[in-house]
Amino acid sequence: MQDQFHKSESLKILLTGGAGFIGSHVIRLFVNKYPEYEIYNLDALTYAGNLENLEDIEAADNYTFLKADINNAVEINNLFEKYNFDKVIHLAAESHVDRSIADPLAFVRTNVIGTMNLLNAAKALWKDNFKDKLFYHISTDEVYGTLGETGLFTETTSYDPNSPYSASKASSDHFVRAYGETYGLPYIISNCSNNYGPNQFPEKLIPLFINNIIQNKQLPVYGDGKYTRDWLYVIDHAIAIDLAFHQGKTKSTYNIGGFNEWQNIDLVKLLCKIMDEKLDRVQGTSEGLITYIKDRPGHDKRYAIDASKINKELGWKPSVTFEEGLEKTIDWYLNNEDWLKNVTSGKYQEYYNNQYKK
Ligand code: NAD
Ligand code: TYD
């Protein structure tokens, strides 16, 4: 039973996109850590949303799943009225750059219009009484565009998106900020670097290549492979979101990153080495699968985050080294081959064949 103190702490939190990769880790953290909160997971269950990711917490008393599409304004307004949410953590999005190149409008619909629908529903429900309310928008470092050999993205770096995905995320960030300035809606935005870890859909670099190595399929490296990303273990992102949600300053943004830059080809070679060990294959077997293919159009050369603001203000830093995180990730995929099989069947297979056809 909850005591008086915990009752007064009770909050109704709407988290969108909780059946996806990052969202499922955030949901798990909140459901387990805050039994006094009511956590609502709103997800349309697109190809990227998978309730298997949440099997361990789905029966918890403080967890409710709502199947809904953020593109449907009427449905979203009704849900806000029905459940009277206090705070929103918004992760639902189309999230894969290659898909955004193939179908940019889908990204405008979900990432821009879907975010607008949530902003409007929050504004309508909370009217002008924003006390103790919060719209926390989860964004990406890709909104800043690309870096040269040196420098880091800070919270004041100008937006300069290059892909339809990053343009749609930049647009949604601008609308969140504009609702803060124009209507007084309390918001926080965090812009994070590339995540990796368990439950990531195998279309992004690390899980795609783990899956391909298991199946002895080619590892399609775009261009010369000398593109740099700053990798962060997904649970460290969830911890940063928890901190920013509870202690972050409203009307501000936080950059979150791994202090962990890797050129794609070096990362892929490390992955191959660990996979050969884990699968008892002769060293060099997986590297033999590397195939350089035509570059991604508009491919950003380098991303790297300066996460000193969240470190100084909220005391956050990554807790897991890349070597530890990568090993945990590989072990998870090797121990969950059924999960991989389930998500790579059907529709995803069509996308895969289309993306890598030659
Ligand atoms: P994901 O693609 O794994 O999951 C997205 C989730 O959103 C899925 O569960 C999907 O069903 C749901 N969704 C999609 N369209 C929807 C709609 N119209 N209505 C309701 N639900 C919908 O994405 P992810 O990698 O977990 O990313 C989550 C968020 O974090 C995104 O906003 C993304 O831009 C951001 N982000 C991701 C990374 C990364 O490396 N993956 C890095 C920084 C920021
Ligand atoms: P990705 O995981 O798609 O994340 P993002 O584009 O959002 O950074 O890609 C990470 C890097 O890996 C990026 O430089 C593109 C590259 N990449 C490949 O070389 N081959 C692939 O098949 C994929 C999916 C990505």
Side-chain angles (χ1 to χ4, degrees):
M1 229 178 60
Q2 289 182 334
D3 59 25
Q4 211 46 46
F5 171 75
H6 277 95
K7 266 188 191 152
S8 68
E9 293 279 298
S10 179
L11 274 183
K12 287 187 172 190
I13 302 174
L14 171 68
L15 192 144
T16 69
F21 166 49
I22 301 171
S24 61
H25 289 281
V26 180
I27 292 262
R28 179 173 299 101
L29 190 153
F30 273 66
V31 164
N32 289 332
K33 188 170 170 188
Y34 303 108
E36 68 275 28
Y37 294 173
E38 290 172 41
I39 314 288
Y40 294 84
N41 172 17
L42 186 158
D43 201 297
L45 300 182
T46 68
Y47 78 95
N50 184 353
L51 289 177
E52 261 186 86
N53 295 348
L54 293 164
E55 267 171 2
D56 56 324
I57 56 97
E58 69 187 358
D61 287 344
N62 60 343
Y63 172 75
T64 306
F65 175 66
L66 305 171
K67 185 172 185 308
D69 188 334
I70 60 170
N71 297 331
N72 184 333
V74 173
E75 193 178 17
I76 294 302
N77 281 327
N78 288 342
L79 289 171
F80 270 73
E81 274 173 31
K82 180 169 177 192
Y83 291 102
N84 196 17
F85 305 120
D86 298 301
K87 306 201 179 205
V88 176
I89 307 178
H90 175 36
L91 293 106
E94 288 292 339
S95 67
H96 188 41
V97 172
D98 292 326
R99 286 180 188 261
S100 81
I101 295 167
D103 184 8
L105 257 182
F107 284 66
V108 175
R109 281 188 211 104
T110 290
N111 298 359
V112 186
I113 311 281
T115 301
M116 289 292 293
N117 289 337
L118 291 166
L119 287 167
N120 286 333
K123 179 173 166 285
L125 175 69
W126 298 336
K127 307 226 164 42
D128 289 327
N129 184 2
F130 293 129
K131 189 170 174 310
D132 297 329
K133 307 297 187 217
L134 179 66
F135 193 100
Y136 182 177
H137 179 61
I138 306 301
S139 192
T140 166
D141 62 353
E142 305 193 22
V143 298
Y144 298 122
T146 188
L147 291 164
E149 296 288 312
T150 58
L152 298 171
F153 295 134
T154 73
E155 286 79 2
T156 56
T157 302
S158 302
Y159 277 30
D160 194 14
N162 292 315
S163 73
Y165 165 64
S166 53
S168 68
K169 290 297 290 187
S171 172
S172 63
D173 292 10
H174 289 320
F175 275 110
V176 173
R177 191 177 168 281
Y179 271 55
E181 293 303 316
T182 307
Y183 308 112
L185 186 91
Y187 73 86
I188 289 176
I189 300 172
S190 55
N191 298 84
C192 190
S193 62
N194 288 63
N195 284 215
Y196 70 98
N199 303 98
Q200 187 170 30
F201 196 83
E203 63 185 355
K204 308 275 167 62
L205 181 73
I206 291 179
L208 174 70
F209 279 27
I210 292 174
N211 191 28
N212 284 11
I213 291 172
I214 294 172
Q215 296 185 48
N216 267 307
K217 276 168 76 174
Q218 288 188 346
L219 305 177
V221 172
Y222 294 152
D224 62 5
K226 294 192 173 152
Y227 293 84
T228 301
R229 296 292 181 265
D230 174 0
W231 294 92
L232 178 68
Y233 192 57
V234 63
I235 291 172
D236 278 326
H237 188 189
I239 292 169
I241 290 172
D242 178 19
L243 272 175
F245 177 82
H246 286 97
Q247 295 170 39
K249 285 200 189 94
T250 50
K251 289 199 173 181
S252 68
T253 68
Y254 292 92
N255 277 0
I256 304 170
F259 303 100
N260 179 40
E261 289 183 51
W262 284 79
Q263 279 197 349
N264 292 340
I265 191 62
D266 296 333
L267 189 164
V268 170
K269 285 184 178 166
L270 174 63
L271 187 66
C272 288
K273 184 169 166 285
I274 304 174
M275 290 292 288
D276 282 346
E277 279 162 20
K278 299 266 178 198
L279 294 171
D280 276 333
R281 292 182 184 166
V282 176
Q283 275 300 328
T285 308
S286 299
E287 261 197 55
L289 299 169
I290 293 175
T291 313
Y292 291 92
I293 66 163
K294 194 165 163 280
D295 212 346
R296 171 189 279 175
H299 198 166
D300 286 330
K301 189 73 188 163
R302 176 172 164 258
Y303 303 145
I305 281 275
D306 176 352
S308 53
K309 180 181 172 191
I310 191 167
N311 175 256
K312 283 197 197 101
E313 275 189 24
L314 306 180
W316 176 88
K317 62 176 193 310
S319 66
V320 173
T321 66
F322 190 54
E323 287 70 16
E324 285 164 355
L326 198 56
E327 180 150 3
K328 280 176 197 257
T329 304
I330 291 170
D331 286 342
W332 187 85
Y333 282 95
L334 290 175
N335 292 329
N336 289 277
E337 284 198 51
D338 282 349
W339 183 95
L340 261 179
K341 279 192 195 116
N342 290 347
V343 299
T344 49
S345 62
K347 271 197 129 174
Y348 171 61
Q349 202 56 45
E350 277 169 40
Y351 158 80
Y352 190 90
N353 293 339
N354 208 30
Q355 174 67 16
Y356 297 106
K357 69 171 177 262
K358 270 262 165 56

